[in-house]
Amino acid sequence: MAERSNDDFDAVLAAFAKYDSFWVVSHIHPDPDAIGSQLALAHYLKRQGKHVEVISRDTVPRITRYLPGAEWCRQQPETLGLDALVVMDVSSLERIGKDLAAKLEPAHATINIDHHATGVPFADVAAVRTDAAATCEILYDFFQYADEPIDRDIKR
């Protein structure tokens, strides 16, 4: 197997260090990978002392409501003009919902973490790994790379 560059993880880490406030969003009709990756990343960013809002156009599916932090999910942002928009498990910005995409205008950057092949890249920073089975798998690799402990809140 060929070695994979971690330049994308370095770029994501740099963006997370640079900015203080983040929306973490995923696709419409979220599945467990979407919600799980959003919440795991939200836990990580909050540990870093960042302001985080977890946004999903649709409500959290019943099957994922037990996850730590599920109560953080909102259908609308509480604050406008956050530093960065982190788009999880989405191959195009329209997949978060057109109305939501229009509201979430980040002050500085859009970050995409995904396992789907993206037709046209839309983010300033991206970690898109199409060989991963799920976005949560990419986050696992990211946390390992960042030497971030995977505690109960992140791994559930």
Side-chain angles (χ1 to χ4, degrees):
M1 180 198 274
E3 256 188 69
R4 178 188 342 207
S5 167
N6 286 310
D7 292 347
D8 56 349
F9 284 170
D10 288 333
V12 170
L13 279 169
F16 289 161
K18 183 175 184 178
Y19 303 119
D20 294 318
S21 60
F22 299 85
W23 290 300
V24 179
V25 302
S26 190
H27 55 76
I28 60 174
H29 310 296
D31 55 19
D33 185 38
I35 296 296
S37 61
Q38 281 182 274
L39 295 177
L41 186 66
H43 282 286
Y44 166 78
L45 290 170
K46 285 177 180 260
R47 264 196 261 182
Q48 307 303 313
K50 309 298 182 172
H51 171 81
V52 180
E53 293 184 18
V54 181
I55 311 291
S56 177
R57 187 198 78 171
D58 300 310
T59 59
V60 175
R62 182 175 305 174
I63 193 169
T64 59
R65 288 185 190 152
Y66 75 94
L67 293 171
E71 70 279 4
W72 298 337
C73 292
R74 302 281 179 267
Q75 290 179 282
Q76 297 294 323
E78 294 178 9
T79 311
L80 296 179
L82 296 186
D83 292 333
L85 171 64
V86 185
V87 184
M88 310 290 296
D89 197 36
V90 169
S91 61
S92 71
L93 195 54
E94 292 77 31
R95 287 278 295 138
I96 71 171
K98 288 181 184 178
D99 291 343
L100 193 55
K103 286 181 187 173
L104 301 179
E105 288 288 329
H108 299 290
T110 299
I111 302 161
N112 181 221
I113 301 174
D114 186 31
H115 68 106
H116 301 97
T118 302
V120 177
F122 65 90
D124 303 298
V125 177
V128 177
R129 296 189 169 188
T130 58
D131 60 331
T135 301
C136 285
E137 179 183 341
I138 298 168
L139 278 183
Y140 175 84
D141 292 342
F142 172 77
F143 294 144
Q144 294 292 307
Y145 181 75
D147 199 27
E148 181 67 25
I150 298 175
D151 63 8
R152 182 178 186 272
D153 290 338
I154 286 179
K155 78 175 183 177
R156 287 192 88 178

